[in-house]
Amino acid sequence: MNNNVKLSDRLRKVASFITPGSYFADIGSDHAYLPCYVCMKDNEAHAIAGEVNRGPYESAIETVTQCNLSSRIDVRLGNGLSVLNVDDGIDSVVIAGMGGALIRSILEEGKAHLRNVSRIVAQPNVDERQLRKWLYTNDYTITEEEILEENGHIYEIIVADKNAERNPFKEGILDRQFLFGPILLHKKPQVFYRKWEHEAFKRERVIGEMKKASKQNPEKLSAFQQELQWIQEVLSNGRDYS
């Protein structure tokens, strides 16, 4: 363990977006594999590994100790961003492996701790749209997005920076960009098409069930139909709304 920490492809990609020399916080760090991996490859990096559950917290301490990184990685027990102190000097926050709604809640509830945080690297398992909306309304500009498939599940990684020069969002098409990802709409790798083909099928099924329901919800039905139209446009026309 003290010479090598193995990460999944997903977490290695997340780690690649941590700026060299950063002092970063990994929230929901589990066994602290990600901060150990980063600090072993980057001698200038320092980290805080935050964990809300005592079992993973104790496992994280053990991992950090075995990796001889106790002087550079501080493992803390607490909920979300509450593990951070104002004078920590954290410049980046990583939150990976949770739902988008939960990541959004963690960021919102801990907003006071983000005052000096210039980069957020997030990997929501689902509901990326909610996270993008929060970043947009809280002055973080999405500067990079990745999508990858691992063990049969498709993951998206969202990188957002403060004071970025170029903002990918455009008025008039924000809802579409929140849904697909403003940068992924331009990249559109094969896994992007696989995800949205599946999402189109899910929406078609939901729309069919809603139309058969005895109690109709026209507003909700219209929202699903609109999203299905956007998905079909992106899949059939390669539309990126640029």
Side-chain angles (χ1 to χ4, degrees):
M1 173 79 71
N2 61 347
N3 292 318
N4 187 35
V5 173
K6 292 184 179 180
L7 294 185
S8 63
D9 291 343
R10 170 180 62 90
L11 287 180
R12 279 201 304 273
K13 180 57 73 173
V14 169
S16 73
F17 291 115
I18 299 172
T19 306
S22 283
Y23 184 16
F24 68 96
D26 181 30
I27 304 301
S29 194
D30 200 6
H31 289 68
Y33 291 149
L34 186 144
C36 286
Y37 174 88
V38 171
C39 288
M40 291 174 75
K41 288 184 173 296
D42 179 359
N43 291 330
E44 300 300 317
H46 290 72
I48 291 171
E51 180 52 56
V52 69
N53 296 310
R54 181 159 291 277
Y57 162 75
E58 292 174 352
S59 295
I61 292 176
E62 183 178 351
T63 302
V64 170
T65 302
Q66 290 179 350
C67 290
N68 298 315
L69 288 169
S70 298
S71 63
R72 293 168 56 205
I73 301 175
D74 185 5
V75 182
R76 298 179 183 177
L77 181 66
N79 187 25
L81 298 179
S82 69
V83 298
L84 305 182
N85 299 316
V86 175
D87 57 354
D88 280 329
I90 291 292
D91 56 59
S92 302
V93 165
V94 177
I95 310 180
M98 307 177 196
L102 178 55
I103 295 176
R104 175 180 177 148
S105 295
I106 289 171
L107 293 173
E108 180 63 27
E109 291 170 8
K111 199 184 294 188
H113 298 284
L114 295 173
R115 192 172 296 115
N116 299 314
V117 172
S118 57
R119 169 163 285 197
I120 294 173
V121 183
Q123 181 271 294
N125 289 343
V126 293
D127 202 4
E128 301 84 1
R129 171 165 43 187
Q130 285 206 45
L131 176 57
R132 291 189 181 103
K133 285 183 179 180
W134 187 93
L135 293 168
Y136 177 81
T137 56
N138 286 274
D139 300 321
Y140 278 93
T141 300
I142 294 177
T143 52
E144 188 57 270
E145 290 180 312
E146 292 288 345
I147 184 169
L148 70 156
E149 187 169 6
E150 185 173 72
N151 298 325
H153 191 91
I154 294 176
Y155 299 98
E156 293 184 14
I157 299 167
I158 301 169
V159 183
D161 294 301
K162 272 190 175 176
N163 304 316
E165 291 183 6
R166 186 173 181 275
N167 190 337
F169 285 109
K170 297 183 179 181
E171 294 296 332
I173 58 169
L174 284 176
D175 286 339
R176 279 162 277 194
Q177 291 182 310
F178 290 146
L179 179 63
F180 297 107
I183 295 175
L184 289 176
L185 266 174
H186 288 280
K187 288 182 173 182
K188 293 195 290 292
Q190 282 302 310
V191 66
F192 175 89
Y193 285 99
R194 288 201 296 276
K195 171 178 178 169
W196 289 107
E197 285 167 358
H198 179 62
E199 291 295 325
F201 172 76
K202 283 165 56 176
R203 281 163 176 77
E204 287 170 347
R205 187 173 58 190
V206 169
I207 289 169
E209 292 300 318
M210 291 179 72
K211 287 181 175 179
K212 290 187 285 186
S214 56
K215 188 176 180 180
Q216 298 290 317
N217 187 331
E219 187 176 340
K220 194 171 183 180
L221 176 61
S222 177
F224 275 105
Q225 290 173 326
Q226 178 66 87
E227 287 182 9
L228 179 58
Q229 180 185 332
W230 290 340
I231 295 169
Q232 290 170 336
E233 287 174 354
V234 167
L235 292 176
S236 62
N237 303 325
R239 185 102 181 259
D240 63 9
Y241 300 100
S242 59

